[in-house]
Amino acid sequence: MTGSVQNASDTSEVNAVRPIGVAVLGMGNVGAEVVRIITDNADDLRARVGAPVEIRGVAVRDLSRPRKIGQELLTDDPASLIARDDVDIVVELMGGIDPARALIRTALESGKSVVTANKALLAEYTGELASAAAEAKVDLYFEAAVAGAIPVIRPLMQSLAGDTVERVAGIVNGTTNFILSEMDETGADYADTLAEAGRLGYAEADPTADVEGYDAAAKAAILASIAFHSRVTAADVHREGISSVTAADLVAAKKFDCTIKLLSICERVRDVDGSQRVSARVYPALIPLTHPLATVNGAFNAVVVEAENAGRLMFYGQGAGGSPTASAVLGDMVMAARNRVHGGRGPLESTYASLPIAPIDDVFTRYYISMRVADRPGVLAQVAGEFTKRSVSIAAVRQEGAGDDARLIVVTHRAPDRAQSDCVAALEDMDAVIKVSSVLRLEGTDD
Ligand SMILES: NC(=O)C1=CN([C@@H]2O[C@H](COP(=O)(O)OP(=O)(O)OC[C@H]3O[C@@H](n4cnc5c(N)ncnc54)[C@H](O)[C@@H]3O)[C@@H](O)[C@H]2O)C=CC1
Ligand SMILES: N[C@@H](CC=O)C(=O)O
Ligand code: NA
């Protein structure tokens, strides 16, 4: 056998190396799996890192709850745990902004490397935390924060570091994808499916973050920051959730050979004057059934990256759940541990391009609009007139039903989102339009 990793596990050389001490903050869906894997795979981890990896403690809220770890390792005092001299790496899996933000900052400032899956925190405070990591010359890794087990952060930060990324788009929220897939395939009820996503460990502690698109927007902010070397925060991301998507929308989408997915889209916008901006947006959209993202179901995620030289790359896998997410956390933990044993550091934050944000109004989109209309001659022409006035070209019109149930479905060509939303507002004001029942964007088409 050759290679230092193999030799390290076989000889006493490693035994002489100081162990890497790990503090785990939070023992919920992900934290419990991280603790399990570190415990079960101790020998392999030691060989891969070049030193034993030892859990120094696990911070929990409720000390009395039975856990699959020795009671002596549990604490309800995370600040004291991370302050210990024998802690080298802090793995933050509590979620939320406070106290996670302060704990991570303190850990970094006192020279500990940090691994976190906390996208809500990163989408606001990566700048602050990355500066603290850079100052202290330690690592801040967060592969698990976007698309769970799927490697997307590292490919964007490292593998594509020499390329120019044009677009990163995909399905990055497992809970909403699970809900939409179940509603589509089995006609399952929205509320039941959301509860099931919680039981399966996919949903956030507050599932509003999932269904209203906050989680997907946080991930879009993280992806856009890395892809476009610019600081993008959650507030920069246009966000719409899935709570207004109905079973009827899914049925109607099928008639257009489409399905509905909650998409996170990060795009380099190239303006006519040669300047560049970043668009980051999250919304439920129709996509053709032939599109690769249309077959991504359940809690699976997929991210499509388009880069100038690499072309199109697709990353697919389990985007949520305890063990898949723990896999990504462990990958980061091993990297951070190796760096501490052998020297070296992960990449620093890169925001040199500082591209401004393009508001949703300026972005070119396509719309799918379903409305109940008065069943009388001339209505179609009136409706079409509102689009013509705003230079929005109609790609398809379908008329369904009759009498009180007369419906028009309009699909537009690409136009500035502002012009499209103005058309919708005008339709809502028309006497002939009884109700605009559904407005969704259409993605994944060339026109
Ligand atoms: N569950 C998933 O599929 C994924 C979760 N994440 C992220 O990973 C993190 C953890 O997620 P889950 O394990 O699902 O959440 P969870 O809610 O199951 O676990 C969090 C645990 O941290 C504990 N905790 C919270 N505040 C604490 C405090 N101050 N001191 C001690 N313990 C505290 C809670 O009691 C809970 O047991 C979150 O940031 C989440 O957004 C990221 C990717 C996927
Ligand atoms: N709640 C999130 C968990 C993973 O990030 C999701 O459903 O994707
Ligand atoms: Na990931």
Side-chain angles (χ1 to χ4, degrees), residues 143-144 146-152 328:
E143 180 58 71
V146 180
I150 311 171
V152 285

Side-chain angles (χ1 to χ4, degrees), residues 94-176:
M94 320 192 292
I97 307 293
D98 296 315
R101 176 185 173 195
L103 291 167
I104 291 178
R105 253 196 90 138
T106 306
L108 293 168
E109 284 166 358
S110 50
K112 321 224 165 195
S113 293
V114 170
V115 175
T116 178
N118 193 335
K119 51 269 162 133
L121 177 67
L122 291 161
E124 298 289 344
Y125 298 108
T126 293
E128 169 188 312
L129 302 178
S131 298
E135 183 78 12
K137 298 191 169 46
V138 293
D139 288 325
L140 171 66
Y141 284 127
F142 47 88
E143 180 58 71
V146 180
I150 311 171
V152 285
I153 301 294
R154 196 162 290 128
L156 280 171
M157 259 192 183
Q158 299 188 19
S159 318
L160 292 165
D163 212 328
T164 303
V165 175
E166 294 293 332
R167 198 168 197 267
V168 183
I171 297 165
V172 295
N173 183 269
T175 301
T176 47

Side-chain angles (χ1 to χ4, degrees), residues 50 83 114 133 149 155 187 255-256 267 299 344 360 378 405:
V114 170
K255 293 187 187 161
F256 281 87
E267 242 170 18
I360 183 73
D405 192 33

Side-chain angles (χ1 to χ4, degrees), residues 374-436:
D375 190 5
R376 60 172 188 251
V379 169
L380 181 55
Q382 257 181 292
V383 165
E386 294 299 337
F387 289 87
T388 310
K389 260 190 238 169
R390 294 167 182 83
S391 305
V392 177
S393 150
I394 292 178
V397 179
R398 186 196 292 260
Q399 193 160 357
E400 290 181 349
D404 286 349
D405 192 33
R407 271 167 291 131
L408 268 186
I409 295 162
V410 174
V411 178
T412 66
H413 281 298
R414 218 162 277 284
D417 199 85
R418 177 58 190 263
Q420 309 262 22
S421 59
D422 282 351
C423 289
V424 173
L427 295 173
E428 279 165 344
D429 281 349
M430 277 174 60
D431 286 345
V433 175
I434 299 161
K435 185 167 192 270
V436 176

Side-chain angles (χ1 to χ4, degrees), residues 46-351:
R46 176 167 122 150
R48 292 173 197 176
V49 165
V53 175
E54 296 175 359
I55 296 179
R56 299 286 178 235
V58 181
V60 296
R61 263 206 192 116
D62 180 0
L63 284 171
S64 66
R65 253 182 72 186
R67 319 238 179 204
K68 290 184 181 153
I69 188 167
Q71 188 70 23
E72 72 286 356
L73 286 175
L74 297 179
T75 174
D76 57 3
D77 181 1
S80 300
L81 173 60
I82 64 170
R84 279 172 57 161
D85 287 343
D86 59 354
V87 166
D88 303 281
I89 299 174
V90 173
V91 177
E92 185 277 308
L93 298 166
M94 320 192 292
I97 307 293
D98 296 315
R101 176 185 173 195
L103 291 167
I104 291 178
R105 253 196 90 138
T106 306
L108 293 168
E109 284 166 358
S110 50
K112 321 224 165 195
S113 293
V114 170
V115 175
T116 178
N118 193 335
K119 51 269 162 133
L121 177 67
L122 291 161
E124 298 289 344
Y125 298 108
T126 293
E128 169 188 312
L129 302 178
S131 298
E135 183 78 12
K137 298 191 169 46
V138 293
D139 288 325
L140 171 66
Y141 284 127
F142 47 88
E143 180 58 71
V146 180
I150 311 171
V152 285
I153 301 294
R154 196 162 290 128
L156 280 171
M157 259 192 183
Q158 299 188 19
S159 318
L160 292 165
D163 212 328
T164 303
V165 175
E166 294 293 332
R167 198 168 197 267
V168 183
I171 297 165
V172 295
N173 183 269
T175 301
T176 47
N177 204 51
F178 178 73
I179 294 171
L180 291 173
S181 307
E182 289 291 304
M183 281 169 70
D184 197 20
E185 284 164 21
T186 67
D189 177 72
Y190 178 93
D192 288 350
T193 318
L194 175 57
E196 178 67 359
R199 274 193 294 279
L200 292 168
Y202 306 151
E204 295 302 303
D206 174 3
T208 313
D210 296 297
V211 295
E212 295 303 345
Y214 291 100
D215 180 75
K219 290 164 176 167
I222 296 168
L223 289 173
S225 300
I226 298 169
F228 306 122
H229 301 272
S230 299
R231 182 153 301 137
V232 180
T233 66
D236 297 321
V237 182
H238 174 83
R239 175 195 53 79
E240 295 170 33
I242 65 157
S243 56
S244 60
V245 177
T246 62
D249 289 331
L250 286 154
V251 171
K254 279 214 182 100
K255 293 187 187 161
F256 281 87
D257 295 322
C258 286
T259 188
I260 299 173
K261 297 289 183 189
L262 183 71
L263 300 183
S264 293
I265 302 172
C266 310
E267 242 170 18
R268 185 187 296 274
V269 176
R270 293 180 184 274
D271 291 313
V272 280
D273 63 358
S275 61
Q276 297 182 19
R277 292 183 291 168
V278 171
S279 162
R281 49 197 204 268
V282 170
Y283 42 64
L286 272 77
I287 52 171
L289 291 170
T290 50
H291 192 279
L293 291 177
T295 56
V296 176
N297 289 318
F300 279 78
N301 284 188
V303 178
V304 179
V305 179
E306 290 168 37
E308 193 175 280
N309 300 295
R312 186 173 290 185
L313 308 164
M314 183 159 169
F315 302 84
Y316 169 81
Q318 295 191 72
S323 11
T325 308
S327 166
V329 171
L330 261 291
D332 282 352
M333 191 205 71
V334 167
M335 296 286 289
R338 279 180 184 153
N339 287 344
R340 295 189 83 95
V341 173
H342 304 291
R345 283 179 57 206
L348 297 173
E349 189 196 27
S350 164
T351 55

